[in-house]
Structure formats: C-alpha cells, structure tokens
Amino acid sequence: MTVHEFVLLALCGLGTFLLRYLPLRILSWQTGQRKTASVFVVRILQGVGPAAIAALLVVSFMPMLNPQQPTQLVAALLGATTVYWVKHLTSSLALAVSISALVYGALMHIS
Amino acid sequence: MQGRYFARGLVDSMAIGAGYVPVAISFGVAAIAAGLSPMVVILTSVLVFAGASQFILIALLVSGAAWWVAVPAVLLMNARHLFYGPALYGQLTAVPRRLPLPAWSFGLTDEVFASAVAKLGQQSPAAREAWYVGLQLGAYLAWVGGTVLGVVFNHVLQNAPIFVTEALNFVLPALFLALLLDMQPKKHWLSLCGATVTAVLLVSVLPVHYVLVIAMLAGAVFASVGGRNDSA
C-alpha cells in the first residue's frame, strides 16, 4: 500500500464519518443551548425517513422492472408479492427477505 | 439488560447483513480484479463503509486520481447521509444518552437508517441506544466480513451458480420493501408518494445518488406541507 492510497482512504473515511456525525453534533449542541428547531424543520426531518426508504426501494427495483426483459419483470413482481405475503403471515423481516430472494433466484434460474 | 438489547440489535442486523455480504463480496472481487492489493481493499471497507461510493473509489484509485478529485467525488455520493442523523435524533434522545455521539454515527448507512426508521420506534426507550448500536455493528461486521470473503475467495466466487447470484441480487430490494411494510405505509403516505413519484421520474435521467437526495427531500417536503403527522 502506498502513502497516497492510505491518505486517500483515510480522507474518504473521515469525510464520510463527518457527514454522519456533524449533523448529530450540531443538533446535540442546539439541544444543550435549549435552541429548538422550527416546526417546518422538524416536519421535514420526520418525513425524511419514510421518503428515504421509498427512494431506496425505487432505485433498487427499477432496473428489474424492464418490459424488454419479461422474465426478470415477472420474477421481480412475484418476488415482491412473496415479500408482502411472508411479511403479512409471519411478521418476520428475515424470512420475508430470504424466501423472496430464493423465489426470485429460482425463477431466474429456470427461465 | 443493555447487553440483551444490544444482542437483539445484532440479530435484527442479520437482514441487512444478508444484503450486505453479497455486495461486499462483489466489491472485494471487483477490487482485486482491478489490480488493488488485498490490504487496500479491506482497509477501504474498514475505513469508508459506504457501499456504492466504494465502487467509485476503486476506479479512482486504479486511475491514480489525486486526493482533491477523489475525496469530493466520494463525499458527494455520500452527501445524503447528512440527513440521517437528524431524522433519528428525536427517537434516540428519548432517554439520557450513555454513549458518545460517534457511536451513533459511525455506521449510519442507507440500510441501517432504513431499518432504524422502521424498527427503532418498536423498541422501548431504554433499549433504543443499545439496540441501535448492535444494528450498526452487525451491519459493519457483515460489510467488512463480506469484503474479506471476496478478497480471499475471489477465484471461487467468480464461478458461483447463477441461482445464487440472482437470488442475492434481490436481497436489498426485498429488504427495502419489507421495511416499508414494517413502518405502516398508510401513516406516511404523503412522504412515500412524494419520494416514489420523484424517484421514478428521475431514476432514468440522473445518477442514483442524486436521485436519492432529491427524492428524500421531495418526500419530506410533501409530508411537511401536507400535514403535521403525514397521516391518512
């Protein structure tokens, strides 16, 4: 490993950590100073979580929903249906994820 | 007692780990194939721990990019992480904090954040901090462990059966869908609709990391403008 590689990795690691840490640090400081965020900011932050999950779902699913590859489209839709029913019947996140992945893998394999 | 909550967080991180391990293996295999040394590849996962941006980092390292080119590129891809801590802060501070703030933020990836949003509220206030640290640590170990597997067994893993690789491709989409179902979609329908419509419109014209930031903000703005609790 060269010094250049190490410095680059260290800077990327430190920067990524600070992106996660500094907003918490600032909020913690504001709380200590008894400064409160505006109602609008609080509502924005409450909406970020569900919106992030929806956005992550869309960007991970969209490449599979290609009408020009009908096999993958059908496998993805059946996999999603499996997630829904297994989650509904068992309430288990791990089971829903693993069984649906097996269904998707099997459908792609036999097609 | 805190140990039990921590262990529960580790167990709950297994769903994330199931998605992380294959992606981390792919990262390890791709990085070795690109000509990086095993030490550099593993250290990337240990220090950066930020999925997609690590794949960009491989290309930048291989091309010999200067730090002032590579670092902003990686940080720009990870800029969405700025919003994650503040969005969780209210739930984590329901009880007095025992751990320093860095322990809350070291592993705040997309999947850890999504899992925490969906499940943190289901933990008792006293359990939240330990559960959340367990969740982060489990995800981190899965990512680093997967990278090590990719580095060590890269020749074997390049020839894995198609069934396995296809199944692993579906793990992360399935995880996000299951998390969405877990967090009562009707209660958050405004932010979900705002983010979904925005992401669908943009995903074919912009890079994914921009789509995520814009869709998250759009969903949050929809929720804040549409109603106090974003409830049906």
Side-chain angles (χ1 to χ4, degrees), chain A residues 24-107:
Chain A
L24 278 170
R25 179 76 266 168
I26 292 166
L27 261 182
S28 175
W29 176 79
Q30 284 187 330
T31 306
Q33 299 287 312
R34 299 191 184 282
K35 290 182 180 178
T36 53
S38 70
V39 173
F40 181 74
V41 171
V42 170
R43 287 183 192 170
I44 287 274
L45 292 176
Q46 285 173 343
V48 163
I53 295 179
L56 288 163
L57 180 63
V58 170
V59 300
S60 60
F61 253 116
M62 283 298 275
M64 297 176 174
L65 305 180
N66 183 355
Q68 291 176 339
Q69 293 182 319
T71 308
Q72 191 180 27
L73 179 67
V74 171
L77 292 175
L78 285 175
T81 308
T82 307
V83 172
Y84 175 81
W85 280 110
V86 176
K87 185 78 183 64
H88 182 69
L89 294 173
T90 68
S91 298
S92 167
L93 199 75
L95 270 182
V97 171
S98 48
I99 292 175
S100 63
L102 289 175
V103 168
Y104 179 84
L107 289 171

Side-chain angles (χ1 to χ4, degrees), chain A residues 40 43-44 47-48 51, chain B residues 190-191 215-227:
Chain A
F40 181 74
R43 287 183 192 170
I44 287 274
V48 163
Chain B
L190 266 175
S191 53
M216 274 167 48
L217 290 176
V221 170
F222 263 65
S224 63
V225 172

Side-chain angles (χ1 to χ4, degrees), chain B residues 99-132:
Chain B
L99 295 170
L101 282 177
W104 289 12
S105 40
F106 80 94
L108 198 46
T109 60
D110 296 328
E111 294 75 14
V112 168
F113 173 66
S115 298
V117 166
K119 297 178 86 80
L120 198 58
Q122 297 168 11
Q123 316 302 319
S124 67
R128 284 179 192 170
E129 194 175 50
W131 177 86
Y132 174 68

